[in-house]
């Protein structure tokens, strides 16, 4: 298998952490999605990373489909619970974390447009998603060690990637000082080799 991703893609990082936790060997093919001839476009009509290329060359996207597939192909370190109710609970938390990342990316892209074309209303709308999302995650975690039944799962991987991405891309949001328990939770996650080996690097 091969994984097409970009160095700092949070969705790609989620997949890379899952690969590491499950000890699945996978070659990384790095591409720049801002280039017109990027590798993702050859395998995903949406031109987005990550894309997993199976051994027969078939592409799998997006990140939530990839991680669910990886959890099924290897029994090592199960990251999604077997019971449908618990499984959907983990996937809902993944969807919330991914949605917060989507809103963060939307703000970043808006800020790159020429100043007169930027919409403050649009940015405020995206910020609202991030702020409500973080409050929901903090309430969900409470004083637990992990989000789901106090055992490490895909919900923690997706949430940890999201929190680290917020600190990386919008440090001024300073979610950590408003939610110290969440900050401590991220610190613990970042100690795992799967997290520490996939940290985003300043461009
Ligand atoms: N929902 C997708 C989102 C993927 C995504 O937006 N990736 C970004 C990189 S972080 C991308 O490829 N952007 C290029 C584009 O939208 O053209 C997933 O979870 O894989």
């Amino acid at each position: 298998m091969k994984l097409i991703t970009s160095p700092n893609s949070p969705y790609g990082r989620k997949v890379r952490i899952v690969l590491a936790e499950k000890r699945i060997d996978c070659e990384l093919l790095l591409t720049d999605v801002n280039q017109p001839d990027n590798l993702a476009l050859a395998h995903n009509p949406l031109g987005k990373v990550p894309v997993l290329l199976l051994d027969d060359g078939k592409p799998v996207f997006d990140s939530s489909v990839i991680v669910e597939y990886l959890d099924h192909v290897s029994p090592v370190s199960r990251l999604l619970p077997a019971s449908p109710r618990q499984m959907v609970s983990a996937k809902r938390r993944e969807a919330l974390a991914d949605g917060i990342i989507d809103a963060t990316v939307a703000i970043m892209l808006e800020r790159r447009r020429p100043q007169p074309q930027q919409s403050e209303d649009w940015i405020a709308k995206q910020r609202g998603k991030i702020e409500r999302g973080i409050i929901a995650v903090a309430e969900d975690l409470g004083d637990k060690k992990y989000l789901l039944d106090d055992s490490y799962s895909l919900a923690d991987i997706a949430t940890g990637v999201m929190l680290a991405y917020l600190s990386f891309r919008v440090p001024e949001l300073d979610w950590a000082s408003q939610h110290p328990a969440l900050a401590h939770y991220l610190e613990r996650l970042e100690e795992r080799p799967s997290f520490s080996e996939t940290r985003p690097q300043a461009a």
Side-chain angles (χ1 to χ4, degrees):
M1 286 191 297
K2 295 177 183 172
L3 182 71
I4 304 172
T5 188
S6 60
N8 286 333
S9 166
Y11 315 97
R13 186 184 185 202
K14 180 178 59 174
V15 174
R16 290 168 63 196
I17 290 172
V18 168
L19 286 165
E21 295 285 355
K22 297 188 71 71
R23 314 234 185 290
I24 298 174
D25 279 335
C26 185
E27 185 184 343
L28 283 191
L29 303 176
L30 297 179
T31 195
D32 179 352
V33 286
N34 297 315
Q35 297 303 317
D37 59 345
N38 74 76
L39 191 53
L41 259 179
H43 300 280
N44 176 357
L46 303 174
K48 294 184 181 203
V49 294
V51 181
L52 183 73
L53 297 180
L54 302 182
D55 290 339
D56 62 3
K58 291 246 163 38
V60 181
F61 53 86
D62 61 8
S63 66
S64 67
V65 180
I66 299 172
V67 295
E68 194 164 342
Y69 171 74
L70 293 174
D71 203 39
H72 277 87
V73 292
S74 163
V76 176
S77 307
R78 284 269 179 226
L79 296 170
L80 280 167
S83 102
R85 192 66 187 248
Q86 290 296 81
M87 186 274 289
V88 86
S89 190
K91 294 293 286 180
R92 179 182 58 77
R93 287 162 166 116
E94 181 192 16
L96 178 59
D98 285 1
I100 295 172
I101 295 173
D102 292 344
T104 309
V105 171
I107 291 177
M108 263 173 45
L109 295 179
E110 188 69 8
R111 288 274 183 236
R112 282 186 195 158
R113 281 152 53 91
Q115 177 75 41
Q117 289 171 27
Q118 291 181 23
S119 162
E120 289 307 319
D121 284 351
W122 169 254
I123 290 171
K125 188 174 177 192
Q126 303 307 317
R127 252 189 118 88
K129 294 176 198 284
I130 298 171
E131 285 164 5
R132 289 189 305 273
I134 293 288
I135 289 170
V137 173
E139 286 175 0
D140 186 14
L141 182 68
D143 57 4
K144 291 182 300 200
K145 187 171 178 200
Y146 297 116
L147 285 167
L148 197 69
D149 281 348
D150 243 3
S151 66
Y152 181 66
S153 75
L154 178 63
D156 301 298
I157 295 176
T159 303
V161 165
M162 175 274 288
L163 293 171
Y165 191 69
L166 284 180
S167 300
F168 178 59
R169 289 297 189 206
V170 276
E172 67 278 10
L173 200 71
D174 199 16
W175 62 267
S177 64
Q178 291 160 44
H179 303 285
L182 217 46
H184 182 53
Y185 164 75
L186 178 61
E187 273 167 28
R188 277 190 285 106
L189 290 174
E190 290 282 9
E191 282 166 9
R192 300 180 76 91
S194 61
F195 271 78
S196 64
E197 286 159 12
T198 55
R199 274 197 197 113
Q201 308 291 324

